[in-house]
Amino acid sequence: MGALNQLVIGASIGAVLLLAALGLTFTFGQMGVINMAHGEFIMAGAYTAYVLQPLAGGQAVLAALPVAFVVAGLLGLVLERVLIRRFYGRPLDTLLLTFGVSLILQQLARDIFGAPNVQVRAPGWLTGGVDLGGLRIPYNRIFILVLAVGCVVGISWYLARLKQGRRMRAVMQNRQLAAVSGVATERVDQLTFFVGSGLAGLAGVALTLIGPVGPTLGSAYIVDAFLVVVAGGLGQLRGAVIAAFTLGVLNSFVEFWTANGASFAKVVVFAVVIGFLQVRPQGMFVLRSRALS
Amino acid sequence: MSLHQRARILLSLLMVSSVVVSMSACVDDPDSGRADGDTIKVGVLHSLSGTMAISEVTVRDSELLAIEQVNAAGGVLGKKLEPVVEDGASDWPTFAEKAQKLISEDRVATTFGGWTSASRKAMLPVFERNKQLLWYPVQYEGLESSPYIFYTGATTNQQIVPALDYLKEKGKKTIFLVGSDYVFPRTANKIIKAYAGANGMRVIGEEYTPLGNTEYSTIVNKLGQAKPDIVFNTLNGDSNVAFFKQLRSAGFTADTMPTVSVSVAEEEVAGIGPANVAGHLVAWNYYQTTPGATNDAFVTAYRAKYGADKVTSDPMEAGYNAVKLWAAAANKAGSVEVDAVKKAAAGISLDLPEGKVTIDGENQHVYKTARIGVIQPDGQIKEVWNSGQPIKPDPYLKSYPWAAGLA
C-alpha cells in the first residue's frame, strides 16, 4: 500500500518538477541560454495571482494563468532584448549576468510586496481531494498534473504543427541554414524566450497552491528544474517529461523508505543524475543534427 | 579578455578583499569615543536580502520603532540614538564582516541583530574579540551564554519545555518530530527526546528537511501512517507554508493531525493562509493579542508607522525589547561603556509588550512568560495557557534532571 501511495506522490512531485522545468526546455534546451533568472519568472507568475486576488477573488489562480503567462513572458522578452542577446555564445557570462538579474528581481519583489510571504487563496473547488484506498490525492495536485500534461501537449502541438514552432526547431537545429532560408532568426529567438518565460509564469501560478509565495520562491525550484532539463537531454520535451517523473518517483521512494529521508533523497537524486550523466553526458535523449556536432 | 587574465583579476580582487578584512580585524578597539558625538550610534544588523529577509526585515522595523521611541523619550544619556542599519544578506560570513564594520568603522555603542543560530554563531567571536555587545532577539536552542551577547528571545526552558509540559498535561503520548535540517531543530529535538523519555511519552518519528524545502507529501504520508498524538514542528521559514498547505490538502486538520510549532508566528500564519493552519498550536512568549496597555501601545505604534494591515510577532517584540532594555541599562549605568552596561543590566526589569521582563545578570538571558496559543481563522493567535509568571532562563537546562548529559 505504501508503495502505491508513494508512486502517486512521486508522480505529483514529478508534475511539479516538470512544470517548473518546461520553460527551461525552451530557453535552455532550445537556445542554450543558462537563465538563472528563470526562477524569478516563476515568482513573477505567483505574484501575478496575488495581485489579481482582489479582482478575481477565489478564482485568482484560474484568472492568473493567462495573465501570468504574458507577464512572465514579457519579463523574459525584455531580458532577452536588453541583455541576453548581447551575450549569445558566451554561456558563462550569461550565467553570471542572469544570476545578477535574479538577485535584482528578488529584491524588487521584496521592495514591492514586502519581505514576508503573501497568501494566495486556493479556489474552493481545488480544496479537498479524492480518496484512493487510504491515500488522499489532493485536487490541487491533480490540477498541477493536468496543467503540466496540458502544457506538454500544447508545446508538442506548437512545435510540430505551428509555423512558428517549426521555425523554432529549424533555428535550433541549424541557425545559418534557417537564416538563409528566410527565417528571421532574431524574431524566433524573441518568441522562444517569450514562450519559455511565459511557461515559468504558469508554473508560478500553480505553485501557489502547494508552496510559499515570497521573493525567494523561484530559487527553491531553479536547481531542480535545470536538473530535469539536463538529465532529459537538451531541447528534448519527452526527455524532460521522463526525467521529471523518474526523479519525482525516485525522490518519493527514497524519502519514504529511509528514516529522515528528505535530505537523503536529495543526495540520492543528485548522485543518480551525476552518475547517469557520466554514462550519457548528452542526457536521455539526444538531438541528432549536423549543426550540433 | 582571456580566461587566464580573468582568473588573475579575480585572484587579485580576492587578495585585496582579504587584506581589507584582516586589516579591519586588527583595529585596536577601546571603548572610548563611542558616545563622543552629538548622537550615539547603534548597529542594526539583520538579513534584508536573501532567504531570511522574510523574517528579519520586520525585526529591523520594530527595532527602529523602539529606537525612535527611546529618542522621543529623551534618548540615552541625553543624546539621540542614530541607527546604522546593515544587511547580513542571509549569509553567515557577511554577518561577521558587517558586525566588525559596525564596531570598528561606525563605532556603534551596541548592536541589535541576527536571527538564525548560524548567524549568531558567526557573529559571536567578532563581538567577543572586540569586547562589544550584541543583542540577539530570537528564540533559540540554548546551550550558549556568551558574556558579550544578551539574549532577549526565549531559551528552551521558556518555550519548548513548557510546550512539552502542556502536551503532557493534555495526555499526548506519541510525538512525531518534523524539523528543518540545522542546529536549532536538531538540538531542540534532542531535548524533546530526553523529556519524552523521562515523562512517559514516546517519539515515534523524526524527520528533517533541508532549509527552504517545499515538498512535504511524503512526510505527510508518513504522518498519516504513524498517527501520532501530536506533531512537534521545528520547521523554519518558507517550509512551514508548504508543510501546512500540503498537510491541509491531504485532508488533515488540527483535529485529525494536531501540531505544535515553535517557529510559526502571526507573520508566518499570514503567509500560510489562516484557513490552512487554524486550530493548530504554537508556543511563544508573546502574541499580538497578549493583553496589556503596553502591548496595545506597541501594536498601535507599529501599525501607525508601518501600515494598518501589519501584524506583530514574538521575534519582533523581542527585538523591540532589546532596544528598550539596552537603553534602560545605559541610562542606569550613565555610560554606554560595555562593562558598565553589563553591570547595570543585571536585574533591570521593564514592563514590555509581553509583560514584565527582567534581565538575568548571570547568563544574560531574560525572564519570560511562556504562552501556548491556538491559531484563529482570522490569522491571530489566541492564548490558551501561560506559565503564570516569567520563567527564569536556564540555557543549559541545569535545573532539569532529565536533561543531564544534553549540554
Side-chain angles (χ1 to χ4, degrees), chain A residues 180-220:
Chain A
V180 295
S181 312
V183 176
T185 56
E186 270 210 10
R187 290 280 292 280
V188 171
D189 287 342
Q190 292 168 30
L191 190 65
T192 309
F193 223 85
F194 177 81
V195 176
S197 307
L199 286 169
L202 286 187
V205 176
L207 291 176
T208 64
L209 294 171
I210 56 164
V213 184
T216 49
L217 155 74
S219 44

Side-chain angles (χ1 to χ4, degrees), chain B residues 111-345:
Chain B
T111 300
F112 308 96
W115 176 293
T116 62
S117 289
S119 70
R120 189 191 65 254
K121 297 269 187 210
M123 291 187 285
L124 184 142
V126 178
F127 284 95
E128 291 192 343
R129 187 173 62 227
N130 290 283
K131 300 193 167 39
Q132 291 296 317
L133 279 185
L134 169 70
W135 294 74
Y136 173 73
V138 183
Q139 48 81 226
Y140 82 115
E141 69 280 2
L143 310 180
E144 189 182 293
S145 182
S146 163
Y148 292 98
I149 300 180
F150 278 91
Y151 306 78
T152 61
T155 178
T156 45
N157 80 310
Q158 298 166 315
Q159 184 190 27
I160 290 172
V161 176
L164 291 166
D165 287 340
Y166 177 79
L167 298 178
K168 187 183 162 195
E169 189 188 305
K170 290 281 161 199
K172 308 285 186 192
K173 290 279 178 228
T174 52
I175 311 177
F176 201 112
L177 307 174
V178 177
S180 296
D181 204 355
Y182 76 105
V183 57
F184 167 68
R186 285 201 177 254
T187 314
N189 286 345
K190 249 199 291 190
I191 293 168
I192 295 169
K193 281 189 274 186
Y195 181 99
N199 287 281
M201 297 158 103
R202 220 153 40 87
V203 172
I204 58 171
E206 185 176 5
E207 292 288 332
Y208 297 96
T209 65
L211 265 177
N213 191 50
T214 51
E215 186 52 68
Y216 284 90
S217 350
T218 301
I219 284 181
V220 169
N221 191 21
K222 283 187 182 181
L223 290 176
Q225 301 203 335
K227 298 192 179 62
D229 291 343
I230 187 83
V231 178
F232 206 106
N233 167 27
T234 45
L235 290 174
N236 246 263
D238 289 358
S239 294
N240 277 307
V241 183
F243 174 67
F244 281 108
K245 275 188 181 175
Q246 291 167 31
L247 187 68
R248 182 75 196 87
S249 60
F252 292 109
T253 63
D255 290 328
T256 52
M257 187 66 69
T259 72
V260 58
S261 307
V262 290
S263 300
V264 174
E266 286 83 347
E267 257 189 295
E268 285 77 17
V269 169
I272 295 167
N276 292 318
V277 73
H280 287 282
L281 294 170
V282 292
W284 290 103
N285 308 92
Y286 165 87
Y287 302 113
Q288 185 173 326
T289 55
T290 299
T294 320
N295 184 38
D296 293 345
F298 169 58
V299 174
T300 309
Y302 189 86
R303 290 186 155 181
K305 188 166 160 70
Y306 297 108
D309 57 334
K310 295 287 188 283
V311 291
T312 56
S313 68
D314 181 290
M316 289 159 63
E317 191 254 0
Y320 176 89
N321 293 354
V323 175
K324 293 288 176 97
L325 289 166
W326 173 77
N331 275 330
K332 183 178 160 198
S335 156
V336 298
E337 196 259 327
V338 171
D339 286 333
V341 169
K342 275 166 54 114
K343 230 166 117 191

Side-chain angles (χ1 to χ4, degrees), chain A residues 16-209:
Chain A
V16 172
L17 286 177
L18 180 61
L19 205 53
L22 270 181
L24 281 182
T25 62
F26 277 73
T27 54
F28 181 51
Q30 308 271 355
M31 297 170 67
V33 172
I34 302 177
N35 179 16
M36 297 302 286
H38 188 79
E40 278 56 49
F41 296 159
I42 296 180
M43 169 196 78
Y47 273 114
T48 305
Y50 172 69
V51 170
L52 288 179
Q53 201 157 244
L55 301 173
Q59 304 306 317
V61 168
L62 217 53
L65 283 175
V67 184
F69 185 85
V70 175
V71 168
L74 287 178
L75 275 176
L77 192 61
V78 169
L79 180 66
E80 199 272 344
R81 279 294 87 186
V82 176
L83 291 171
I84 289 178
R85 75 186 168 104
R86 300 169 209 275
F87 291 85
Y88 279 139
R90 292 161 64 184
L92 286 180
D93 295 328
T94 316
L95 187 147
L96 285 177
L97 181 82
T98 53
F99 183 63
V101 171
S102 86
L103 293 179
I104 292 172
L105 289 177
Q106 278 179 28
Q107 196 61 38
L108 206 63
R110 206 168 275 130
D111 291 340
I112 298 173
F113 301 105
N117 285 316
V118 298
Q119 184 200 356
V120 175
R121 279 182 298 277
W125 50 272
L126 277 181
T127 53
V130 202
D131 280 306
L132 208 87
L135 175 74
R136 176 155 142 148
I137 309 169
Y139 289 139
N140 56 30
R141 294 283 180 168
I142 298 173
F143 176 76
I144 289 174
L145 187 65
V146 169
L147 187 65
V149 170
C151 285
V152 169
V153 171
I155 293 166
S156 317
W157 175 75
Y158 175 83
L159 287 176
R161 297 267 174 260
L162 277 191
K163 191 169 62 187
Q164 289 87 342
R166 288 202 296 270
R167 285 186 186 148
M168 191 183 290
R169 278 160 57 214
V171 170
M172 173 191 58
Q173 290 177 14
N174 193 326
R175 184 172 286 270
Q176 286 86 3
L177 197 56
V180 295
S181 312
V183 176
T185 56
E186 270 210 10
R187 290 280 292 280
V188 171
D189 287 342
Q190 292 168 30
L191 190 65
T192 309
F193 223 85
F194 177 81
V195 176
S197 307
L199 286 169
L202 286 187
V205 176
L207 291 176
T208 64
L209 294 171

Side-chain angles (χ1 to χ4, degrees), chain B residues 84-86 96-107:
Chain B
V84 182
V85 180
E86 283 291 345
E97 210 176 282
K98 299 279 179 158
Q100 182 65 51
K101 182 242 171 202
L102 285 169
I103 292 169
S104 46
E105 271 181 49
D106 298 310
R107 308 196 56 75

